[in-house]
Amino acid sequence: MQIKNDLILRAARGEATERTPVWLMRQAGRILPEYREIRNKLKDFITLAKTPELAAEVTLQPVDILGVDAAIIFSDILVVPEAMGLPYIMVEKKGPYFPQSIQSEKDVELLRVADPEEHLGYVLEAIKITKKSLDNRVPLIGFAGAPWTIFSYMVEGAGSKTFSKAKKMLYTHPAMAHQILEMITETTSRYLQAQIKAGADMVQVFDSWAGILSPKQYEEFSLRYIEKICNAITEVPVTVFAKGAYFALPSIGKLNCETVGLDWNMPIAQMREIVGPDKTLQGNLDPCALYGSFDEIKRETKAMIDAFGKHRHIANLGHGVYPDTDPEKVKCFIETVKEYSVR
Ligand code: CP3
C-alpha cells in the first residue's frame, strides 16, 4: 500500500522531495487541548498509553490539527523497563518514578529480556489501530529509548539532572552495567522489530541522556549498543537522536542508520561536514524559539531551512516540544517549513 504523503521516508532515504518534510518530537500529547481533554478523563498517563484505541486517537491528533508529515505512536520510552520487570509511575508534574530500581546484582535478577508480543502487546495494538485510522495519509514513526538512556532511568529510579547513580555504576560495576545494557539492547531490538511488523514505517532511537557521558564512555556504554540495534533493523529507515552528543557525531555518522537527529546546540554546517553527505539530518530549532513572536519564528525557521539546504533534511525541533508552547506557534513553524522549503 502506497503512503500518500511519504516525504519523510523519501527524505530519510536520500531521495528528492518537493519540499522539506516536518514533524515535532513529542508532538503527541502535551501541547494540544484536544489531548488534555482525553487525558483528563483518565486516571493517569499510563492508563492512556495502555488503552490502544485512545493511544491511537491522540497519535492522530497532531496529523489532523497541526498538519505534520508523520505521526509518532503515543507511548513512552519507559514502557521497556516495565516490560523487563521494573514498573514505573508517572508522577503528575514531576515525571517518572520507579519504586524498585537496579542497585545490585540481586536486583539484576529481577530483569528479563522482554517478549514484545507478550509484554508490550498494547503498543503493538495501538500501532495497528493507528495504521488503520491513518489510512496511509502519512507514515507512522515507532520509537524506543537508547539502551544507555533506559539504563539511566532503571538505575537512577527517576529523572535526574546528573544521573550520577547511573554513571556511578559505570565506574564501580562496569561488568554489571554491560550485563544490563545487553538485556535492554536485546529487548529493544525485538521491540522495534515488532513495531515494524505491526506497521511502523520508520523508527527513532532516543538517547536523551547521551550528553552526560564522556566521549570514551559514550563509545563503550552507549554507541556500541545503538550500533547493534541499527544492525538489527533492516526493513525501515532508522533515526538516531543522541541529545548533547556532538562529540560522538563522527561515530554516529558511521552507524547503519539513515537519519541523524541534531539538537539546537549543534552548528548545522559543521555537523553536516562531520556526518558527511550520506545521512539525512533531522532537527534542530531550539524548542524555546517557539516562545518568540510569529515573525521571529518565521525568521528562525527560514534560517534553519537555509542552513540545512533542501536535500536530506527532515525539519524538527532540537528536542521535544515544551508543554506550555502555544499550538498556534507550532502551526506557524510547520507552515513556514512547508511554504519556504518548496523546491
Ligand atoms: O513524541 C511523541 O509525541 C510520542 C510520545 C512520547 C512520549 N514520551 C509521551 C509522553 C515520546 C516519543 C516520549 C519519549 C520520552 N519519554 C523521552 C525521550 C525524548 C525526550 O524528551 O528526551 C524521555 C526521556 C521520556 C521519559 C519521560 N516521559 C519523562 C521524563 C516524562 C515526564 C515529563 C515530560 O516530559 O512530560 C514523561 C511523560 C510523558 N511521556 C508525557 C507524554 C505525553 C506526559 C505525561 C502526561 O501526559 O501525563
Side-chain angles (χ1 to χ4, degrees):
M1 257 179 297
Q2 185 62 34
I3 295 172
K4 288 176 200 101
N5 170 353
D6 65 349
L7 286 169
I8 282 204
L9 300 178
R10 280 192 277 141
R13 292 190 295 250
E15 296 166 18
T17 53
E18 306 79 73
R19 63 167 173 81
T20 303
V22 55
W23 70 285
L24 281 80
M25 290 187 276
R26 310 298 293 271
Q27 67 186 17
R30 292 188 137 189
I31 52 164
L32 294 176
E34 291 84 351
Y35 165 75
R36 275 191 221 108
E37 205 180 299
I38 293 179
R39 169 74 178 74
N40 289 339
K41 286 191 204 139
L42 300 167
K43 185 168 127 266
D44 54 17
F45 166 82
I46 297 176
T47 310
L48 175 51
K50 288 190 172 174
T51 311
E53 292 77 16
L54 293 179
E57 188 176 337
V58 298
T59 299
L60 252 50
Q61 285 175 343
V63 178
D64 295 331
I65 301 166
L66 301 173
V68 282
D69 293 311
I72 177 159
I73 190 66
F74 183 83
S75 182
D76 199 85
I77 61 167
L78 300 176
V79 300
V80 163
E82 184 187 70
M84 293 177 68
L86 285 193
Y88 66 105
I89 308 164
M90 206 58 95
V91 185
E92 211 65 41
K93 297 203 163 46
K94 281 191 80 178
Y97 173 71
F98 288 86
Q100 166 83 54
S101 59
I102 302 295
Q103 306 297 325
S104 65
E105 287 287 355
K106 201 168 94 306
D107 301 327
V108 180
E109 284 166 24
L110 297 168
L111 299 178
R112 63 178 169 224
V113 171
D115 172 0
E117 311 288 339
E118 191 182 337
H119 305 113
L120 291 157
Y122 60 95
V123 182
L124 306 179
E125 188 56 29
I127 290 177
K128 288 178 193 159
I129 298 172
T130 304
K131 280 296 283 181
K132 273 206 193 102
S133 329
L134 261 180
D135 194 23
N136 284 312
R137 277 180 291 160
V138 293
L140 176 62
I141 302 171
F143 70 90
W148 157 248
T149 289
I150 296 300
F151 170 95
S152 299
Y153 283 104
M154 287 167 71
V155 175
E156 199 79 22
S160 159
K161 282 205 177 88
T162 56
F163 278 94
S164 50
K165 280 189 204 156
K167 285 177 71 178
K168 181 177 170 187
M169 194 186 283
L170 308 186
Y171 285 102
T172 56
H173 296 92
M176 185 159 87
H178 279 301
Q179 189 190 349
I180 301 166
L181 286 161
E182 278 292 352
M183 291 175 83
I184 302 170
T185 302
E186 184 58 30
T187 300
T188 304
S189 298
R190 290 187 197 180
Y191 177 43
L192 288 173
Q193 279 162 342
Q195 290 187 43
I196 294 163
K197 203 169 139 224
D201 302 292
M202 184 166 177
V203 294
Q204 175 156 330
V205 178
F206 286 91
D207 206 357
S208 304
W209 297 106
I212 62 173
L213 293 179
S214 70
K216 188 168 154 281
Q217 279 179 321
Y218 192 69
E219 295 277 341
E220 179 178 351
F221 294 101
S222 185
L223 207 60
R224 71 148 103 157
Y225 296 104
I226 295 178
E227 186 178 16
K228 283 191 186 185
I229 293 170
C230 288
N231 291 340
I233 309 287
T234 47
E235 303 87 346
V236 303
V238 179
T239 301
V240 174
F241 174 57
K243 188 171 179 298
Y246 50 87
F247 55 83
L249 261 270
S251 306
I252 294 173
K254 293 193 190 84
L255 289 173
N256 192 2
C257 69
E258 282 67 23
T259 302
V260 175
L262 300 185
D263 68 47
W264 69 92
N265 290 131
M266 301 182 182
I268 297 164
Q270 208 178 323
M271 294 301 122
R272 171 53 84 194
E273 189 77 16
I274 293 172
V275 172
D278 299 332
K279 297 264 190 264
T280 296
L281 296 178
Q282 174 173 277
N284 78 340
L285 192 74
D286 180 359
C288 290
L290 300 186
Y291 295 133
S293 68
F294 288 101
D295 280 345
E296 277 158 357
I297 293 169
K298 285 179 198 160
R299 205 167 47 238
E300 294 279 331
T301 306
K302 288 176 184 175
M304 174 191 77
I305 299 283
D306 288 338
F308 277 102
K310 291 185 174 180
H311 189 54
R312 293 214 89 151
H313 176 217
I314 297 172
N316 206 312
L317 302 180
H319 197 195
V321 59
Y322 294 135
D324 61 346
T325 309
D326 176 358
E328 291 306 318
K329 298 279 172 76
V330 175
K331 280 189 202 164
C332 175
F333 168 68
I334 294 166
E335 286 308 317
T336 306
V337 173
K338 286 185 173 179
E339 285 163 22
Y340 187 68
S341 69
V342 172
R343 316 297 189 234

